[in-house]
Amino acid sequence: MDPVTLAVVRGALEQIGDEMDLHLIRAALSPIISETNDCAHGLYDPVTGETIAQGGLGLPMFLANMQFTVQRMIPVVERAGGFRPGDVWITNDPYLSGTHLNDVVLIAPHFVDGKLFALFANTGHWMDMGGGTPGGWVPTAQEIHQEGIIIPPLRLVDGGIRNEGIVGMITANVRLPHQLLGDLSAMINVFAIGRRGLDDLVARYGADTLKACIAEMMDRSEAQMRSYIAEIPDGTYVVEDFFDNDGVVDAPLKVRLALTVQGSTLRFDFSGTDGPAKGPMNVSDATTRSMCFVALRHIFPDVPVNGGAFRPTAFDIPGGCILSAAYPSAVGGTTEITQRIVDVVFGAIGQGVPALAPAAPFGTTCVATVSGRRPGDGRYFVAVYPYPGGYGGSAASDGLVNGTPPSSMAKFMSVEMSEHRYPVRFSHYAIREGSGGAGRHRGGCGTTYGVETLAEAVVSILGDRVDHCPPGAAGGLPAAPNSVRLTTGGSAWVPPMRSKVERVRFAPGDRFDLGSPGGGGYGDPLDRDCAAIEDDLNDGLICPDEAHRVYGAVSRVDRTVFGRPVYSLDRERTAAERQARRGGLLRTG
């Protein structure tokens, strides 16, 4: 294939996905899509279901998950008579489509000269799907029906005509029907953007040339991914990590990964992982596989996203564990489990090539939902706040401060938009100082924020990483734990499950304060550059006590600016302190 044509076609296909992302983000009514970007779009092979191209503005956690959903939907549709022009299929079945009930998947066929050429698919997070807790994060759920309604695979649009019976059944069972209708219409209409772009490409190059380009794109992605895998030494790398609890039983849950590298292939073996969880800390096998690809995408970012990049992998995910949920297991903890899968993949690859993978990121989305009725018109509102936090340090640099979850990239809704839409007031939104793990390259700091309710409301929180902090790598130290504190009736308290609490009734003036972990540190803290420590001190990311206790740095105040001290390090005393510690002559405390 002519390389110029191939590059142009690949760019055009990816642009189609980007445009679909952008149009949905602009058209959606719910802030979880319009502000948080909780959506994704892609183009798929109609026979194999493999990803052809995917937009870059949506969430990475849908990277391969939509491919697996399409692959599982194809035989379902074939049994119902196959795809027809003008059709749109819908499902949110988490055991088929992965993730949780709020992530609704639509699939639409595209025909060229009367023949099925490709499948478009999108995923959008709907703010509420019914269930016992507004928003869908139910920390004490013990079965899927407590979390909302299941939409099995259905032909939502038949020959261009929307089935209003299906739509009515859905809207009758959710708390935000008008918002849902707006998001549904936007998700359906955005397929027109994709069809227009694909038709332009077919008109320019012809269907046969376009198919040949797609096949070669996948082959090249496979070859590129295999070349990177081949650079990892052969062997089996084992990592174990834990969840604090499942929201119902206060006992840790183990995630175990044995990653085997053999030549240019990877085998992800999750045997030994606990489960199933009694509470909602379960996730489908499709999402488990997808999150492994997300981790690989972070490590090998230049490999194009298509089905070819997924081919050099194999999986062993035992049935019945928390990473292979089956009906009727609750799955609302998906946003937590996806984080941990990324963590263990980073840890395993880091054993093989320490310079390749970063230390663990903050590892918890800790979604807080605030719901109730507006004081003015009595209409339902549901506000959703997913954590930002710190990324792990790496061989190349410090970790990112205040980053979106690596597994999802869901953005935190702006303070201004939150206070405009909902009866809430933020007391603060700030970097959580001292939360990054110490190391030669420091983990990024997490984020802290506080929300006061201005009307009666119900608050639920589903998080983790309190008892088991994000670990460091290559001698780096762990990050600070997650912090959840509620203040109701004038009394501050921590939930019994530390970061999981359900349907707490808030009166006006009650508040909650959350602080996300930072990322783990990378390398020995005693090797950190003195200039970097001075920057950390003057940026407020660490305090003088931590600089001395952890980094062996002796600081002094040179001057004050606007009442704030400006620090510098005594290089000679710092060098002596570090040398003594390396020789074991001083205790670090």
Side-chain angles (χ1 to χ4, degrees):
M1 179 60 61
D2 168 32
V4 174
T5 300
L6 188 65
V8 171
V9 168
R10 174 192 157 192
L13 290 169
E14 292 174 350
Q15 179 65 23
I16 290 171
D18 288 344
E19 287 189 17
M20 294 175 74
D21 282 347
L22 187 59
H23 276 76
L24 180 59
I25 290 167
R26 294 290 178 86
L29 294 185
S30 65
I32 196 84
I33 297 177
S34 63
E35 288 270 326
T36 305
N37 295 9
D38 199 339
C39 62
H41 295 82
L43 184 65
Y44 301 87
D45 185 281
V47 177
T48 66
E50 287 186 297
T51 304
I52 295 172
Q54 189 162 322
L57 303 179
L59 302 195
M61 69 185 299
F62 302 129
L63 175 68
N65 201 71
M66 289 205 299
Q67 171 174 311
F68 303 138
T69 302
V70 170
Q71 289 172 332
R72 291 173 174 179
M73 284 285 286
I74 287 174
V76 174
V77 176
E78 288 176 348
R79 289 194 295 270
F83 288 105
R84 300 193 293 260
D87 282 358
V88 176
W89 284 74
I90 186 172
T91 187
N92 75 338
D93 184 339
Y95 314 113
L96 182 150
S97 63
T99 62
H100 56 166
L101 291 173
N102 297 74
D103 291 332
V104 177
V105 180
L106 302 185
I107 300 174
H110 187 74
F111 290 81
V112 174
D113 296 329
K115 296 181 180 179
L116 183 59
F117 183 83
L119 299 173
F120 286 105
N122 61 16
T123 300
H125 183 115
W126 290 359
M127 289 286 280
D128 184 82
M129 293 303 296
T133 297
W137 282 273
V138 189
T140 61
Q142 298 185 43
E143 66 172 21
I144 189 70
H145 299 293
Q146 294 173 276
E147 297 177 321
I149 60 171
I150 301 173
I151 306 171
L154 296 171
R155 187 179 271 112
L156 175 66
V157 179
D158 187 351
I161 300 174
R162 193 171 76 176
N163 188 323
E164 298 301 330
I166 294 175
V167 175
M169 181 276 296
I170 296 172
T171 56
N173 285 280
V174 301
R175 295 176 176 87
L176 304 170
H178 300 292
Q179 199 173 89
L180 183 153
L181 283 171
D183 291 349
L184 174 61
S185 296
M187 290 175 68
I188 293 173
N189 292 337
V190 82
F191 287 132
I193 304 298
R195 287 194 294 268
R196 183 186 66 193
L198 193 54
D199 283 339
D200 288 346
L201 273 180
V202 172
R204 182 175 181 182
Y205 294 104
D208 291 340
T209 299
L210 202 53
K211 287 182 178 179
C213 284
I214 291 168
E216 185 154 347
M217 283 167 46
M218 292 192 186
D219 290 344
R220 290 193 178 199
S221 288
E222 179 183 0
Q224 189 174 0
M225 181 62 81
R226 287 189 183 278
S227 71
Y228 286 136
I229 294 171
E231 295 176 358
I232 305 173
D234 283 1
T236 298
Y237 306 102
V238 179
V239 175
E240 291 184 354
D241 205 339
F242 295 85
F243 294 103
D244 298 341
N245 53 63
D246 69 0
V248 175
V249 179
D250 195 1
L253 290 167
K254 180 172 66 177
V255 176
R256 182 183 188 275
L257 169 63
L259 177 65
T260 299
V261 181
Q262 186 172 7
S264 63
T265 61
L266 292 175
R267 176 171 288 276
F268 297 85
D269 184 358
F270 288 96
S271 299
T273 296
D274 286 344
K278 190 173 184 180
M281 300 294 281
N282 301 286
V283 72
S284 78
D285 65 317
T287 300
T288 299
R289 288 187 285 165
S290 182
M291 295 318 303
C292 292
F293 294 131
V294 169
L296 293 178
R297 176 70 171 161
H298 279 283
I299 294 170
F300 306 123
D302 54 336
V303 179
V305 178
N306 59 53
F310 310 149
R311 292 172 182 169
T313 58
F315 292 86
D316 293 311
I317 309 173
C321 77
I322 60 175
L323 304 181
S324 184
Y327 178 84
S329 294
V331 295
T334 291
T335 47
E336 294 302 309
I337 299 177
T338 52
Q339 299 266 50
R340 199 68 79 256
I341 296 169
V342 171
D343 294 349
V344 296
V345 174
F346 281 175
I349 292 179
Q351 289 181 18
V353 185
L356 198 57
F362 57 103
T364 175
T365 308
C366 201
V367 175
T369 58
V370 183
S371 61
R373 294 188 179 274
R374 302 177 190 277
D377 55 19
R379 294 176 64 180
Y380 248 112
F381 72 89
V382 179
V384 176
Y385 301 104
Y387 256 167
Y391 282 24
S394 68
S397 67
D398 291 346
L400 180 67
V401 172
N402 186 44
T404 55
S407 62
S408 75
M409 296 299 185
K411 297 179 181 179
F412 191 89
M413 192 190 313
S414 70
V415 171
E416 296 82 2
M417 182 58 72
S418 295
E419 294 183 341
H420 172 71
R421 280 180 172 264
Y422 310 119
V424 300
R425 179 166 54 219
F426 277 71
S427 61
H428 66 281
Y429 180 87
I431 293 172
R432 186 185 178 196
E433 299 174 3
S435 58
R440 176 168 59 87
H441 288 146
R442 172 186 42 73
C445 287
T447 307
T448 177
Y449 72 95
V451 172
E452 176 187 348
T453 56
L454 304 181
E456 291 184 353
V458 173
V459 172
S460 297
I461 300 171
L462 205 167
D464 206 76
R465 280 294 193 206
V466 177
D467 304 338
H468 301 90
C469 301
L477 300 184
N482 190 9
S483 174
V484 174
R485 187 177 74 254
L486 294 85
T487 302
T488 55
S491 299
W493 54 283
V494 174
M497 294 285 183
R498 275 83 72 203
S499 61
K500 300 177 180 70
V501 66
E502 180 182 344
R503 296 186 65 84
V504 180
R505 296 198 173 275
F506 271 41
D510 289 345
R511 59 179 289 157
F512 62 87
D513 294 271
L514 275 62
S516 63
Y522 186 97
D524 189 342
L526 296 181
D527 292 332
R528 184 160 178 78
D529 182 73
C530 287
I533 297 174
E534 288 175 338
D535 288 342
D536 291 344
L537 284 166
N538 292 317
D539 290 340
L541 302 181
I542 62 174
C543 64
D545 176 69
E546 182 181 357
H548 182 264
R549 176 173 47 84
V550 179
Y551 292 101
V554 180
S555 63
R556 62 194 173 205
V557 178
D558 284 345
R559 62 189 187 280
T560 59
V561 177
F562 299 115
R564 295 190 60 180
V566 176
Y567 296 97
S568 67
L569 296 192
D570 185 318
R571 299 302 204 266
E572 291 185 3
R573 292 179 63 192
T574 295
E577 176 83 7
R578 288 176 162 183
Q579 183 177 2
R581 292 190 184 185
R582 288 190 178 97
L585 300 179
L586 290 177
R587 295 176 61 87
T588 61

